[in-house]
Amino acid sequence: MPIDQLKPSPERKLLSTIGKLDSYRANGAIKKTDETQPTFEELQSIEKGRREILLRAELPFWRILLFWSGTCLKEISTDILVWFTLAVYTAIRIYANSVDYVPSSVSLLEDSNIDILGGFLSFFLVLFVNQTNGRFLVMYGFSKACSGRIQDVAGLARAELPSEVGEKIVRYLNAAQIAGYVGLNGIGQGSPYSKAFFFDVYNAEHDLLSPREMAMIERHDMDHSGSCMKELCTWCQIEVAQARKAGYVGTFEAQRMQDRILEFRAAMDGMYDYTDQPPHFFYIHFLDLLSALYLPLFAVNTACASGWGQECFVGLDVLNGTIVLLQCIFVAGLRALGTKMIDPYGDDPEDLSVILYIESTLENCDIIMDSKLGIAETKLPPTYKVLHSRGTVGGSRSSGGDCATRNEDLQVSDRIV
């Protein structure tokens, strides 16, 4: 039975009523449409904000404290648990200042030890942030590895292959990288990168795929799977294999290119694997439950220990209220920080700079493929040009050449010496 015909759960009916339900695919991932995806201009604006936030890390501490965007304060200000905790503390202190006796229940709280719970929660929160930070850095490594492998192939293609063949392979790999980021919509929470507002923009600007080539991958749903990326990688492998059969490169050089292409695909697969498997929901629910129980209890314990009746002092109330706020910042801030790093390919200001990775790769590939070092510029003797035209310089000759030609080349090289 199609998933659209399944009977909706009560939770889904409720969400649909308030207009907050996304459509889901058969694998459970959120399905986004072009209407909900940001435009390329909006993505560029998000990217600009990300780069600005990265540059803040080395500013003096007093300037760092003045920022609002990209900080924990923005997240904490909208956290219901923080406001509820502060409300509990404030309500108890107002009551404590309005009576002239100490309630009997206050003496019972003196025997409680909430600090133990706070210690356990701190340990699990720090562990959670450490795990998500490691996950974030691994996925960053995958993104940079994709860029690096494309440039490796570009360098090998420029040195070993005819320009038309090398440029075609580099075009396919750059298209595969962009299609790979678009395909992340097919898993997890999806990504803000779409075919209409992301891939098509770069394809029109850099002529990565021709209309005929676009028609060949049209059978794949680029917006909701990584199939286009897989096929484009296969096209690169086929081009390298055909270049080897045509004698443009030897077996060793072709194998090096094939290895780089497969390493690129493996890095892309790693991004998909990590995105498809976030930290366990059981663990995240456990942390949320502990936080929801601990912070109000901490507020009650602190408020009751701040004095009653004639012992009340406004300065002490403010000081202990600040301590409660700091505890909220610590707990809610760590929880928000860990959650932010789970999916680095979203539209948050703290996510990875995907546009920078793609555009820097395209720019570096253009530099590599347009390298002007050649025979005319080096002003070497004509006999060197003969050797270069025969493919004996740099080890780029195919292994299938005849012995007579090789002996003739060796005699020419002896005359050069």
Side-chain angles (χ1 to χ4, degrees), residues 37 92 150 182 262 272 285 319 384 408:
Q37 293 286 71
I92 294 177
I150 293 175
V182 173
L262 293 177
Y272 278 73
H285 178 269
L319 177 61
Y384 184 88
E408 179 184 350

Side-chain angles (χ1 to χ4, degrees), residues 49-248:
R50 288 173 181 166
R51 304 312 299 176
E52 291 176 352
I53 290 176
L54 291 177
L55 295 177
R56 299 175 186 173
E58 298 182 3
L59 294 176
F61 84 97
W62 60 270
R63 290 191 59 188
I64 292 177
L65 293 177
L66 298 178
F67 287 104
W68 175 258
S69 62
T71 67
C72 65
L73 297 177
K74 187 175 181 179
E75 296 297 321
I76 292 173
S77 64
T78 57
D79 195 316
I80 297 177
L81 179 59
V82 173
W83 290 108
F84 176 74
T85 302
L86 294 176
V88 169
Y89 174 83
T90 303
I92 294 177
R93 292 316 302 159
I94 292 176
Y95 178 70
N97 281 269
S98 63
V99 299
D100 56 358
Y101 64 93
V102 179
S104 58
S105 57
V106 175
S107 59
L108 298 177
L109 292 174
E110 295 178 356
D111 298 329
S112 63
N113 192 355
I114 198 173
D115 294 337
I116 296 178
L117 179 59
F120 277 111
L121 179 58
S122 300
F123 170 77
F124 286 119
L125 283 172
V126 173
L127 180 63
F128 174 59
V129 171
N130 183 61
Q131 291 175 342
T132 54
N133 181 64
R135 167 193 176 88
F136 185 93
L137 293 178
V138 169
M139 297 177 79
Y140 168 74
F142 286 143
S143 293
K144 298 303 290 184
C146 290
S147 177
R149 299 298 78 74
I150 293 175
Q151 295 176 61
D152 290 346
V153 173
L156 292 171
R158 176 66 181 86
E160 306 286 351
L161 295 175
S163 59
E164 61 273 13
V165 179
E167 290 174 357
K168 181 187 292 187
I169 294 174
V170 173
R171 284 195 297 107
Y172 289 165
L173 273 181
N174 277 293
Q177 183 185 29
I178 302 173
Y181 285 115
V182 173
L184 289 172
N185 278 304
I187 51 180
Q189 298 292 320
S191 75
Y193 311 105
S194 62
K195 178 180 180 297
F197 299 132
F198 196 66
F199 182 89
D200 289 347
V201 173
Y202 282 112
N203 190 40
E205 182 178 352
H206 297 276
D207 296 323
L208 300 176
L209 297 179
S210 66
R212 176 176 173 274
E213 292 166 339
M214 286 295 298
M216 293 173 64
I217 62 173
E218 194 66 31
R219 58 195 178 92
H220 301 300
D221 187 1
M222 184 185 297
D223 275 314
H224 303 125
S225 74
S227 302
C228 287
M229 178 269 294
K230 299 280 189 179
E231 176 150 346
L232 289 169
C233 289
T234 305
W235 289 6
C236 295
Q237 292 183 275
I238 293 174
E239 290 293 334
V240 172
Q242 291 178 346
R244 181 185 60 81
K245 292 178 182 179
Y248 295 138

